Amino acid sequence: MFWNKDKNRAAAFVDYEYWFISMKNFYHAKPDLKDWCAQLRGKYQVESVRFFGNFLDRELADEVTRIMRSSKPTATTRGIL
């Protein structure tokens, strides 16, 4: 009743490596980044979404492009996007 998206600010810090490996091992699928980000942005005023993991790993290296498409702005270091 008194909920206001503009007043519900949020930031997300995601252990993407754990999420990715869990989805792969249990469901044989990849995380649905577009839908997850859309749901988060639909409910909150998202200030920042950051993903971390070992993106130098072969399996996760291809995920960097998917992450960048789904969550901007993105800061890249050795293990954080």
Side-chain angles (χ1 to χ4, degrees), residues 4-24:
N4 184 340
K5 177 182 172 184
D6 295 330
K7 293 183 181 180
N8 288 314
R9 296 172 40 200
F13 194 62
V14 181
D15 182 346
Y16 191 76
E17 184 174 3
Y18 181 81
W19 189 16
F20 178 84
I21 291 170
S22 295
M23 290 289 296
K24 178 185 163 206

Side-chain angles (χ1 to χ4, degrees), residues 21-76:
I21 291 170
S22 295
M23 290 289 296
K24 178 185 163 206
N25 290 342
F26 291 115
Y27 304 107
H28 306 289
K30 293 182 179 181
D32 187 348
L33 291 168
K34 284 187 179 183
D35 187 48
W36 182 80
C37 287
Q39 286 182 27
L40 191 65
R41 288 189 171 106
K43 189 169 184 177
Y44 301 100
Q45 179 183 334
V46 178
E47 302 291 327
S48 175
V49 178
R50 299 285 186 243
F51 296 85
F52 70 95
N54 180 9
F55 295 103
L56 299 175
D57 182 85
R58 288 183 184 181
E59 281 188 295
L60 291 175
D62 295 337
E63 294 297 297
V64 173
T65 304
R66 289 182 65 228
I67 291 169
M68 289 182 164
R69 272 190 249 138
S70 299
S71 65
K72 294 185 180 181
T74 304
T76 305

